[in-house]
Structures are given as structure tokens and as C-alpha cells.
Amino acid sequence: MGTGHIFSFFRMRLRAGTPRIAGTIHGRSDMEYRQNFRALEAFEAVSRHLSVSAAAVELGVTQSAISHQLRLLSDLVGERLLQKQGRGIALTEAGDRLARKLQPAFAEIVRSVGDAIGGTRHVVRLAICSSFGPAWLVPRLAGFYATKPAFDLQVCMYARDPELTDAVADAFVTTLPTEKGFEAVLLWAEKLVPVVAQTADGATEPALITTDLQPGRHGADWKAYAALSGRDMARDGRWLFASHYLIALEMVKAGLGAALVPDFLAARELEAGTIRQLHDAALPTHEDYHLCVKESRRGEPAIDALIRWFKSQLPRQARSHGNGGPPAK
């Protein structure tokens, strides 16, 4: 059952209706908002697409019908919710606040109706960062699908930690597991290891590649490593820069110099012999990777299955302590 059909079903139930005790929201009775459910539905669709035409297609109505509902809602809440931006539209501050509340609420309605009347598949959207996804998750996906052939996992990669909300994904692998109302499972305690190409000349010091690009912080990763390891990493020459660990690793493989990259990212290349570890010490970043899901959705079968699978991938010692990362030596 598609989103449009679910809401058509929901609207019919609303029209059939049962008596409700009305409260007030900003001076309006909550019944006014219930009776104008279509206006909320139209705005929620527009807020996702930032397009009236796309929202109209999704809901199976005309653009003029969408525009009418948007005007109605704006009058109802007493706020301007949308504004023109170039040739398109954008949310106002009030519109953005409302969209952040409505999008997960409508997503929950879709799930609730699907659970009640059936017809939904186990589709879970997993948001995961650009280094952890390719290096940690992808090598394990064959095993995941082998044990869960009917499970639809949509992997969405991001460069920066997204907001933890149903509007973005159903589950998140993030280094910022501090959102209230979310359960966090530690997957990996990140450490940076210094690596260089296997073919690099051991007689000369390699150029240093840094991922700290902020002015005044150039080479902060290597300076922290020097303080930890007691090695003199001072450089008279220029730094080489990379915005992401993935790029830094490719620069290492190309023989451009040495870089500090996460241990899980370097593992396959170290095993293959294309790179080698420059020194034994590893630098903790304290930006550890966690699987985060809403506590209110913890009991959903698909979410529960995903959490169980992630936990099964943790080292045995970490599992027994509810902790991620490599086992202590």
C-alpha cells in the first residue's frame, strides 16, 4: 500500500469519525486541525519535496489543490510556512519547525497502518558515514543478506552526521549518539593508525597527509599522534591535505605520503600488503561509531532484527560487555 493510498484510507476513517474530546492548540481547537488533515498532509509532502508539483503527483491531486491546502494551513496556524527562493520554494523558520514534527509523525502513521492491515515489507533505511560504510559494513553485507534474504536494507551514505529523525532514516551509524529518546549500541572505538605505501622508501621520511584542514589546526592529527607516541613528527615542509579518510588512504596507496586513517579502514589494505603501518602506536579519536535507533521503535521486528545482526558482528568480548570495537589485548 503506497503512501497516497494509506492517507486516502486514513481520511475515509476520519470522515467516518467517532466523537472526540477537543482540546486547544494555540487558541484553535484540535478538532480544527483534525478536520483540516488534508492541509497538514499537503504541507508535509511539500516540505519533503520542496515542490508543489511533486507533492501533487505523490498525493494524486492537482497543484491548485495543494496550493489551496497550503494557504488554508497558513491561515490556520497564523504563520507563513513557505517562501520563494529563486525559481523554487523554501521553508520559513516556522515551516521548518512544523516540518520537523510532521515528517516523522506521518512516517509513523504509514508504519502503523501498514502494521495494522499488512502489506508492508521489511524495508529499513540505514544512514551510515562515508568511511564506516564501505570499510566496515559492505564487507559484511553478503553475510547479512545470506541470513536475511527477505530483508530490504537501504544503505544511505552521508559525509556529515545527519539529524537523528525518521524523516532521514530508520537507523543510524553515527559518532554523535547523544540524541534523547534513542538507544545507542557501540560498534567500534575508532583509532587512527599511521600507514604508508608498501613501496615507500624506508630510508627517507614520507610526506605527511593530514585530514585537519581548519586554519590554525593543520596537522593537528599528526601532532596528537606525536604526543601519544613520543615520536618527533615535526615538519619543515608543507602538509598534504585530504578532506576525508577515504581520500587520504588513496593518496597513501598512490605513494604520496603517510596518513593517519581509522584502523577499520586500513585493515583490508594492510592484509593485502598494499600498505604498511608506519609505527605501532594507535591514536584514539574518541569519535566512536554507534548504531542508533529510536527507543519507541525498538520493538519493531525489522529494527530488532537489524540491531541483533549488528550485535552479532561485534567481537565476543565486546558483546558480553555491550561494547564495540576490537577486543582488548
Side-chain angles (χ1 to χ4, degrees):
M1 178 177 287
T3 303
H5 290 98
I6 285 178
F7 288 128
S8 294
F9 166 84
F10 191 74
R11 284 195 298 270
M12 286 190 292
R13 295 301 300 268
L14 279 178
R15 285 198 294 270
T18 55
R20 292 183 177 89
I21 299 174
T24 60
I25 305 174
H26 298 305
R28 300 274 188 175
S29 71
D30 62 356
M31 190 58 68
E32 285 186 82
Y33 291 98
R34 294 177 187 274
Q35 291 171 345
N36 289 285
F37 184 81
R38 289 187 181 183
L40 295 170
E41 178 187 0
F43 173 75
E44 189 274 338
V46 171
S47 73
R48 282 187 285 107
H49 296 290
L50 291 180
S51 166
V52 171
S53 59
V57 170
E58 177 182 310
L59 298 179
V61 298
T62 64
Q63 294 184 43
S64 60
I66 293 290
S67 297
H68 172 72
Q69 295 297 335
L70 293 176
R71 289 193 296 271
L72 182 65
L73 182 61
S74 184
D75 291 343
L76 191 63
V77 301
E79 293 277 359
R80 187 182 179 193
L81 303 174
L82 296 163
Q83 59 189 356
K84 290 184 178 180
Q85 187 175 75
R87 295 185 178 181
I89 57 175
L91 298 172
T92 64
E93 185 177 346
D96 182 66
R97 289 197 304 269
L98 181 58
R100 288 173 183 269
K101 296 293 185 181
L102 285 183
Q103 289 175 5
F106 272 69
E108 182 62 31
I109 290 173
V110 173
R111 283 194 300 272
S112 298
V113 175
D115 290 344
I117 65 177
T120 59
R121 299 184 68 190
H122 289 176
V123 179
V124 175
R125 299 164 300 157
L126 175 66
I128 192 165
C129 74
S130 57
S131 58
F132 201 75
W136 190 95
L137 178 65
V138 171
R140 292 170 166 82
L141 280 181
F144 174 84
Y145 289 123
T147 58
K148 296 173 173 50
F151 198 110
D152 285 338
L153 182 66
Q154 297 178 1
V155 181
C156 312
M157 196 165 71
Y158 61 85
R160 294 186 177 182
D161 286 286
E163 181 183 4
L164 303 190
T165 169
D166 286 342
V168 174
D170 304 298
F172 303 79
V173 174
T174 174
T175 58
L176 299 173
T178 57
E179 196 75 21
K180 187 178 180 180
F182 277 78
E183 176 183 337
V185 178
L186 178 60
L187 300 177
W188 197 270
E190 184 182 72
K191 293 183 176 67
L192 301 183
V193 294
V195 293
V196 70
Q198 187 67 257
T199 56
D201 182 6
T204 59
E205 290 293 327
L208 296 185
I209 303 164
T210 179
T211 53
D212 278 298
L213 310 187
Q214 291 181 314
R217 284 186 50 84
H218 293 167
D221 48 355
W222 281 105
K223 293 169 185 175
Y225 183 80
L228 173 75
S229 64
R231 294 180 177 274
D232 182 11
M233 310 299 295
R235 295 276 122 170
D236 294 329
R238 66 188 181 91
W239 294 98
L240 301 183
F241 298 99
S243 60
H244 294 75
Y245 291 132
L246 284 171
I247 299 175
L249 181 60
E250 291 302 315
M251 292 171 69
V252 167
K253 290 162 61 178
L256 296 177
L260 286 162
V261 299
D263 47 3
F264 63 80
L265 184 60
R268 280 192 297 173
E269 299 296 341
L270 287 169
E271 185 178 353
T274 56
I275 63 175
R276 58 183 170 84
Q277 197 163 325
L278 197 58
H279 308 296
D280 291 335
L283 175 67
T285 65
H286 307 295
E287 294 186 358
D288 304 332
Y289 294 89
H290 295 74
L291 173 68
C292 295
V293 298
K294 265 189 176 179
E295 292 174 353
S296 61
R297 299 187 59 189
R298 179 64 175 81
E300 293 180 21
I303 297 293
D304 182 65
L306 184 67
I307 294 172
R308 289 177 181 274
W309 178 80
F310 266 100
K311 286 185 174 180
S312 75
Q313 302 304 300
L314 303 181
R316 184 174 301 174
Q317 181 179 2
R319 263 179 270 166
S320 64
H321 290 85
N323 209 7
K329 295 182 179 178

